[in-house]
Amino acid sequence: MDWEVWTVIVLLAVATFIARSSFWLVGHRINLPKRVQEALRYAPACALAAIIMPDLLMNNGHIVVSMTNPKLIAGIAATAFFLVKRNMLLTIFFGMAVYTFIRLGL
């Protein structure tokens, strides 16, 4: 069993190396269409949303879309704050302050 684990680790490392180095080796030779380049601009925002949204909506392993979910309330408040102030650092502080305030029941 031990050799199977090490084989999987080595194969995953090789696959990761090939996938990441391929762009470095041939990236300047391949031209992506303008439409694809524009679509890729939104990839980081989509990935961030895919990470954050489940955390905001889940509470104790269940989806809770109500005013009893402190993470969801803090996320909505932080979004509104960002739309007004347009300052990411202050938005993080504000969202965490709202979450802490609600969670501690102050």
Side-chain angles (χ1 to χ4, degrees):
M1 290 293 192
D2 201 32
W3 66 272
E4 292 173 342
V5 172
W6 283 107
T7 303
V8 169
I9 290 172
V10 168
L11 290 175
L12 287 173
V14 169
T16 301
F17 177 77
I18 290 170
R20 291 180 182 234
S21 66
S22 64
F23 292 108
W24 181 66
L25 294 174
V26 295
H28 62 281
R29 295 183 189 141
I30 297 174
N31 292 327
L32 294 175
K34 186 169 178 68
R35 193 170 204 174
V36 173
Q37 288 178 353
E38 290 175 6
L40 286 174
R41 286 182 34 218
Y42 298 102
C46 292
L48 187 61
I51 293 169
I52 291 174
M53 288 308 291
D55 189 46
L56 289 179
L57 297 176
M58 299 290 282
N59 195 4
N60 295 329
H62 296 66
I63 294 176
V64 179
V65 185
S66 69
M67 296 312 256
T68 61
N69 186 350
K71 293 180 199 175
L72 182 60
I73 296 169
I76 293 170
T79 301
F81 182 85
F82 179 77
L83 292 174
V84 172
K85 292 292 186 180
R86 299 284 183 188
N87 186 324
M88 186 58 72
L89 186 59
L90 287 178
T91 301
I92 293 170
F93 288 136
F94 181 78
M96 289 307 298
V98 170
Y99 176 67
T100 303
F101 183 79
I102 293 171
R103 192 173 53 103
L104 295 177
L106 299 176

